[in-house]
Amino acid sequence: MNDDIFISRLEGSKLIIETADGVEEYDSKFIVAALLVYVARGSGRIEPEESGKMIELIEAHFHLQGAESLEIITRAMTEMSEKPQLVELLSELVPTFSDADKEAIALMALKVVAADGHRHFAEMEQFNRAMEAMQISPEIVHRAFDLYFAETMPGS
């Protein structure tokens, strides 16, 4: 399979790429899944708890069925492995996200980092790179941390 990307363009809130194998579309669901996969891979592998958390988060955020969430996560894993240059192209979709979307994305990414119960420095580094790539401001990241701690602290 030839996965070289010949043409990419933005159509509304979708990224369209053309390869020798055809045309592919990537939407906001895909970019969120790809970001979560990217963060989860920060420790070198995706733990089962992280996979489960990603499926749960995509399902809840986009109001999908579990099978559809799994399909989106699986596609993100596959596409990112087969087309490494896709990660850079996905940044073209960043302007389609509102600050509220970015805050929700940052919160989901934090939940994935914490899903396995371990704090890996590499995952937090990956989280920081992902926030930068998504042009999520430090203020929005700070709000996401506040929300995360409000949800997870005992007595809240």
Side-chain angles (χ1 to χ4, degrees):
M1 177 156 55
N2 184 351
D3 293 320
D4 289 335
I5 296 173
F6 299 127
I7 298 172
S8 70
R9 66 185 178 279
L10 201 57
E11 288 183 6
S13 63
K14 291 185 178 184
L15 176 67
I16 312 296
I17 65 163
E18 295 180 28
T19 68
D21 294 327
V23 177
E24 291 283 340
E25 289 186 7
Y26 302 94
D27 61 8
S28 60
K29 294 174 194 151
F30 181 87
I31 194 170
V32 171
L35 179 123
L36 296 179
V37 167
Y38 177 80
V39 170
R41 282 186 175 156
S43 64
R45 64 184 294 252
I46 298 174
E47 299 297 332
E49 300 88 353
E50 293 168 329
S51 295
K53 182 55 78 175
M54 287 187 291
I55 293 166
E56 174 189 315
L57 292 167
I58 295 291
E59 182 179 332
H61 186 74
F62 292 108
H63 311 290
L64 304 173
Q65 297 297 317
E68 193 175 355
S69 296
L70 175 60
E71 185 179 312
I72 292 168
I73 296 288
T74 302
R75 180 178 180 222
M77 287 178 183
T78 303
E79 295 276 329
M80 289 172 52
S81 293
E82 292 176 356
K83 298 179 182 112
Q85 68 272 41
L86 180 61
V87 173
E88 191 173 311
L89 292 173
L90 287 172
S91 65
E92 292 179 30
L93 286 173
V94 168
T96 67
F97 289 100
S98 68
D99 283 353
D101 292 333
K102 290 177 179 182
E103 187 175 301
I105 291 166
L107 179 59
M108 286 188 277
L110 287 171
K111 289 177 178 180
V112 169
V113 168
D116 63 1
H118 301 286
R119 283 185 255 159
H120 297 283
F121 177 77
E123 279 181 335
M124 285 310 298
E125 285 293 306
Q126 201 86 322
F127 170 86
N128 290 331
R129 283 191 289 275
M131 296 302 100
E132 189 176 307
M134 287 288 298
Q135 300 170 17
I136 299 177
S137 72
E139 294 80 20
I140 291 173
V141 171
H142 183 76
R143 285 196 312 261
F145 269 101
D146 287 346
L147 284 169
Y148 175 77
F149 288 122
E151 289 179 14
T152 59
M153 293 304 289
S156 59

